[in-house]
Amino acid sequence: GNLELASLTGTIAVFKDAPMLHLHGVIGKEDTTALAGHLRRVVVGGTCEIFLETISSEIMRERDRETGLLRMA
């Protein structure tokens, strides 16, 4: 069925000298329910308007030795 990208937020950071996207999304379904969580892959079959806001410095990520998670440095 048809889905709608209702919200998309996140960051574009640098990890190991490469861009790294960390995205959260809300997807609306035809039955008016919604799914939310991390987005790993999205295919747009129409249009998707995205507004990017820049900041004055880079966001760097590094792996936390205790948790193994990638955190902002």
Side-chain angles (χ1 to χ4, degrees), residues 45-56:
T47 64
C48 181
E49 296 178 11
I50 296 176
F51 173 78
L52 298 175
E53 185 175 347
T54 59
I55 59 174
S56 60

Side-chain angles (χ1 to χ4, degrees), residues 6-73:
S7 177
L8 177 67
T9 62
T11 58
I12 302 172
V14 177
F15 178 65
K16 294 186 177 180
D17 296 321
M20 177 188 170
L21 279 66
H22 183 122
L23 302 175
H24 299 149
V26 177
I27 308 296
K29 297 169 61 175
E30 285 185 284
D31 65 1
T32 70
T33 61
L35 303 170
H38 286 101
L39 291 179
R40 294 192 178 129
R41 182 173 182 265
V42 175
V43 176
V44 175
T47 64
C48 181
E49 296 178 11
I50 296 176
F51 173 78
L52 298 175
E53 185 175 347
T54 59
I55 59 174
S56 60
S57 62
E58 286 185 326
I59 299 172
M60 306 296 287
R61 288 199 177 263
E62 64 186 16
R63 190 161 305 278
D64 184 280
R65 289 183 180 160
E66 284 186 37
T67 65
L69 298 174
L70 293 174
R71 64 177 180 89
M72 284 191 222

